[in-house]
Amino acid sequence: MAGFLDDIEPLKQTASAELKAAPDLAALEQTKGAWLGANGKFTALMKQLGTLPKEEKPAAGKLINVAKVELEATLAARREELQLAAALPKEPTDFTLPGRRRALGKLHPLTQVTEDIVRAFRKLGFAVADGPEIEDEYHCFDALNTPADHPARDAQDTFYLATNGADTAPLQNTPAVAAVCDRRLLRTHTSSVQIRVMKSQPPPVRIIVPGRVYRRDNADATHNPTFQQIEGLYVDKGVTVGDLKGTVEFVFKELLGSDVKIRFRPHYFSYTEPSFEIDFSSALVKKMGKDWLEIAGCGMVHPQVFENVGYDPAVWSGWAFGFGIERIAMIRYGINDIRLFYENDVRFLKQF
Ligand code: DAH
């Protein structure tokens, strides 16, 4: 008995030293097998326990168990050490190497221009409104007093959505028919949102509407089948053309510099009376070899439009305008081809 008990401590010491000295995880597992595995030297000791006299078994068993728990703890500690070492980089780290830089993205130039326009109008108390890009004829045309025979109603200009084989041929375009037929289209301008906003709230109204519009145009240097517009609408009592001119001038000077000149030229839009086109002049326009560049349509809201949305034209007056954001961005940055905005070439985009 004495010999057996005396064996435990030295065996444990040797096993412990071997476990601690294992150079890597594979060696550690091997050492573990050699001592604690089914045929291990320490396991053999436990097997000898059975040969002891009955009264000596408890004390000897306890001793062996304590040693085994100790060895298992040593094993776990070494395993953790080696796992950590294995996870560390094999090569030394050179902290003097410069880091890898990520290129910072930027807002698209059209987004920058839109945000600047919105910021300028916010200073005047305008709120941003929104509407669907898939519209119906009523909001896009009828309610805006655009009669059925107007060229803008021609399928040449408008993308109509054919649903369930519905007839997309020109229909009798009265508001009543349009409401019943509900022919869908991709909005050709943001003016449709004027109707949606006025129908959803009583006057006064002071909104701007940036958004995407669609037309059946072939892409060239100045056209693209989809582009961005910004619409403005101001309805209150006693609003005049003077308010319209003052507002437009303020915004364009904010946007394009104080040397810009604005000119209003008589025009026709079915939803405004009188209607104007806004021409614009600046040093940059002169550089492009022109005196004036047309950039927007506008006018005083037509009384029929007020009738259509349930506003009393005898009480309320207002102005509206709409212009293309690409146009403004092209003037601002001196860009000569609209298609550059949509190609997503970082060499182009990174300049703004
Ligand atoms: N909707 C017109 C277009 O797309 C622009 C426009 C003209 C908007 C006159 C208006 C307006 O609000 O009053 O060409």
Side-chain angles (χ1 to χ4, degrees):
M1 167 65 200
F4 175 76
L5 283 181
D6 289 348
D7 280 351
I8 295 175
E9 184 60 21
L11 270 176
K12 188 197 82 184
Q13 297 276 358
T14 317
S16 177
E18 278 186 28
L19 287 171
K20 280 180 187 158
D24 54 41
L25 285 165
L28 183 70
E29 292 312 314
Q30 223 165 23
T31 311
K32 175 195 162 191
W35 289 98
L36 298 167
N39 297 314
K41 289 178 238 174
F42 207 82
T43 313
L45 208 59
M46 287 157 79
K47 284 179 188 157
Q48 283 181 43
L49 204 59
T51 66
L52 289 182
K54 203 177 168 197
E55 62 279 14
E56 288 177 13
K57 277 185 188 167
K62 201 172 167 193
L63 217 60
I64 291 179
N65 260 332
V66 168
K68 192 180 171 220
V69 167
E70 223 175 285
L71 281 181
E72 272 165 358
T74 306
L75 171 72
R78 184 61 184 155
R79 188 180 280 143
E80 205 170 303
E81 260 172 36
L82 290 173
Q83 275 169 346
L84 192 68
L88 287 176
K90 305 280 170 290
E91 305 279 318
T93 305
D94 180 354
F95 291 103
T96 65
L97 275 178
R100 253 175 251 133
R101 276 173 211 278
R102 277 196 181 237
L104 257 194
K106 276 185 177 183
L107 292 178
H108 192 281
L110 292 177
T111 307
Q112 290 185 37
V113 169
T114 306
E115 290 194 351
D116 287 347
I117 297 169
V118 167
R119 200 173 302 120
F121 275 102
R122 281 241 168 96
K123 288 186 186 172
L124 301 173
F126 281 72
V128 174
D130 199 8
E133 290 177 21
I134 296 176
E135 258 299 357
D136 49 51
E137 290 188 293
Y138 175 71
H139 291 92
C140 202
F141 299 127
D142 296 277
L144 286 163
N145 197 32
T146 306
D149 56 359
H150 193 282
R153 303 288 296 252
D154 197 311
Q156 286 291 315
D157 299 325
T158 308
F159 289 111
Y160 286 94
L161 277 71
T163 43
N164 301 333
D167 185 7
T168 56
L171 293 164
Q172 210 196 332
N173 285 307
T174 63
V177 169
V180 171
C181 294
D182 199 22
R183 197 158 63 144
R184 299 300 178 96
L185 47 80
L186 296 177
R187 68 180 178 194
T188 54
H189 53 187
T190 42
S191 305
S192 53
V193 186
Q194 287 188 31
I195 302 302
R196 291 193 173 269
V197 169
M198 287 193 282
K199 283 206 155 208
S200 69
Q201 68 166 82
V205 177
R206 225 188 291 184
I207 52 151
I208 46 165
V209 185
R212 195 186 294 275
V213 302
Y214 303 83
R215 290 190 194 170
R216 286 185 57 173
D217 280 330
N218 290 321
D220 62 26
T222 53
H223 295 86
N224 198 60
T226 131
F227 59 100
Q228 326 272 325
Q229 281 190 333
I230 198 154
E231 191 84 11
L233 174 68
Y234 179 35
V235 181
D236 209 329
K237 287 177 180 158
V239 176
T240 69
V241 175
D243 297 317
L244 170 57
K245 283 186 102 165
T247 308
V248 166
E249 210 161 295
F250 168 78
V251 170
F252 280 105
K253 289 200 161 153
E254 284 271 307
L255 212 61
L256 300 164
S258 51
D259 76 315
V260 307
K261 284 203 201 81
I262 304 284
R263 179 173 84 174
F264 278 50
R265 204 164 21 79
H267 200 74
Y268 171 81
F269 296 104
S270 57
Y271 31 97
T272 44
E273 182 59 36
S275 302
F276 309 96
E277 263 192 336
I278 305 174
D279 291 341
F280 159 97
S281 179
S282 74
L284 222 127
V285 172
K286 294 243 159 71
K287 240 195 240 166
M288 292 160 83
K290 292 188 177 183
D291 283 337
W292 297 95
L293 211 65
E294 91 188 40
I295 48 167
C298 67
M300 302 304 289
V301 179
H302 198 290
Q304 185 59 51
V305 174
F306 280 148
E307 296 274 8
N308 293 345
V309 298
Y311 286 10
D312 183 351
V315 177
W316 302 100
S317 53
W319 54 248
F321 70 79
F323 54 76
I325 292 174
E326 279 83 348
R327 250 285 156 88
I328 307 280
M330 287 168 88
I331 295 171
R332 185 183 196 176
Y333 300 119
I335 294 164
N336 59 10
D337 195 320
I338 196 172
R339 290 166 291 194
L340 288 164
F341 289 123
Y342 317 116
E343 284 167 358
N344 274 343
D345 185 332
V346 284
R347 290 168 303 176
F348 170 75
L349 295 175
K350 159 165 108 166
Q351 302 174 84
F352 307 101

